[in-house]
């Protein structure tokens, strides 16, 4: 079995400066075998490693489906690795994004606030028009979450989704107004930031909010 961790990979890179390319190719071969394993922990470790190599300039598109598999893990530590890799490497033309709709929706509705949090972060970063349209109502529902930490993230995520799905703005603005009166000052600050961001492109539409600011 292959049990080289991300720390091992980094230490190996530092120890193989003179033949770094050869070392990385050997590591990539190991990672390609690891992501095919049924053990989700090993698969998530492999995704961590390929994500690190991606930050060094190496392609990881071949592992996109494996990233989605790790995103769907029931263990938060593994799930977080999958979302991080997706945020780092997925783009508007990534074909496996269509497979993430239901798993992101499930995480947004989770009782675990950390899962809700990572889903909001991930969706804000990778959303296409189709994802934004399909999940916009789910994000709006989270804006009323009992935890201020989640309400803040939902505000920012919804703002990002509006950039992909402009039709959602009419449903978003009334809820945004409500958050300007939120009992938590950090949520109010996040709402003000979102209003300022939206007003950059259409200031006249937000003049009515000025007294609240």
């Amino acid at each position: 079995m292959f049990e080289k961790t991300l720390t091992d990979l980094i230490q190996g890179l530092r120890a193989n400066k003179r033949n770094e390319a050869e070392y990385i190719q050997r590591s990539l071969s190991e990672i390609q075998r690891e992501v095919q394993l049924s053990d989700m922990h090993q698969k998530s470790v492999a995704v961590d490693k390929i994500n690190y190599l991606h930050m060094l300039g190496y392609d990881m598109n071949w592992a996109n489906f494996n990233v989605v598999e790790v995103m769907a893990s029931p263990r938060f530590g593994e799930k977080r690795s999958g979302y991080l890799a997706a945020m780092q490497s997925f783009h508007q033309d990534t074909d496996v994004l269509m497979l993430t709709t239901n798993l992101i929706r499930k995480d947004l509705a989770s009782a675990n606030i950390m899962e809700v949090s990572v889903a909001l972060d991930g969706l804000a970063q990778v959303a296409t028009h189709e994802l934004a349209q399909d999940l916009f109502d789910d994000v709006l529902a989270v804006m009323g979450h009992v935890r201020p930490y989640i309400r803040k993230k939902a505000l920012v995520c919804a703002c990002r989704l509006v950039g992909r799905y402009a039709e959602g703005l009419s449903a978003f603005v009334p809820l945004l107004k409500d958050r300007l009166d939120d009992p938590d000052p950090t949520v109010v600050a996040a709402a003000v930031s979102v209003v300022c961001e939206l007003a950059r492109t259409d200031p006249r539409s937000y003049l009515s909010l000025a007294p609240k600011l």
Side-chain angles (χ1 to χ4, degrees):
M1 297 295 288
F2 318 104
E3 297 186 357
K4 186 184 293 181
T5 65
L6 176 58
T7 300
D8 294 332
L9 174 66
I10 295 171
Q11 290 175 342
L13 283 170
R14 292 172 178 171
N16 288 271
K17 288 294 186 181
R18 293 186 177 181
N19 58 338
E20 183 177 285
E22 180 183 343
Y23 177 80
I24 288 177
Q25 288 306 314
R26 290 200 308 269
S27 298
L28 284 171
S29 296
E30 292 177 1
I31 292 168
Q32 288 171 348
R33 292 192 291 270
E34 289 172 342
V35 294
Q36 301 303 321
L37 298 174
S38 58
D39 186 325
M40 186 58 71
H41 176 69
Q42 278 295 107
K43 197 185 292 280
S44 69
V45 171
V47 166
D48 281 337
K49 291 189 289 186
I50 188 59
N51 190 36
Y52 179 79
L53 293 177
H54 173 71
M55 291 188 286
L56 298 181
Y58 289 84
D59 176 62
M60 66 173 289
N61 288 335
W62 56 268
N64 285 346
F65 181 75
N66 306 112
V67 170
V68 174
E69 288 183 308
V70 176
M71 289 171 66
S73 172
R75 298 184 180 90
F76 176 71
E78 297 165 1
K79 181 185 294 290
R80 179 176 55 189
S81 293
Y83 271 99
L84 176 60
M87 288 187 280
Q88 290 283 98
S89 64
F90 286 7
H91 50 78
Q92 295 298 297
D93 297 323
T94 300
D95 53 2
V96 298
L97 276 173
M98 66 179 69
L99 303 176
T100 65
T101 304
N102 288 333
L103 75 87
I104 294 176
R105 176 175 286 127
K106 179 181 176 182
D107 289 336
L108 288 173
S110 174
N112 183 336
I113 66 166
M114 300 309 295
E115 291 184 354
V116 180
S117 173
V118 77
L120 289 169
D121 289 341
L123 180 59
Q125 188 66 31
V126 307
T128 60
H129 173 80
E130 291 75 16
L131 269 180
Q133 182 177 11
D134 291 342
L135 295 172
F136 197 75
D137 289 343
D138 299 89
V139 173
L140 294 187
V142 178
M143 284 177 59
H145 199 278
V146 66
R147 299 294 291 271
Y149 171 72
I150 298 299
R151 296 201 297 274
K152 288 188 293 182
K153 289 205 170 195
L155 278 167
V156 175
C157 181
C159 181
R160 293 292 297 270
L161 295 188
V162 165
R164 301 290 184 189
Y165 175 58
E167 296 88 342
L169 185 61
S170 59
F172 174 46
V173 170
L175 296 179
L176 175 58
K177 290 180 180 179
D178 291 342
R179 296 282 69 83
L180 288 171
D181 292 323
D182 195 279
D184 188 281
T186 64
V187 177
V188 175
V192 170
S193 296
V194 170
V195 170
C196 292
E197 182 64 25
L198 294 174
R200 290 175 61 187
T201 56
D202 184 19
R204 189 176 298 276
S205 296
Y206 302 96
L207 285 177
S208 61
L209 300 181
K212 290 183 176 292
L213 301 180

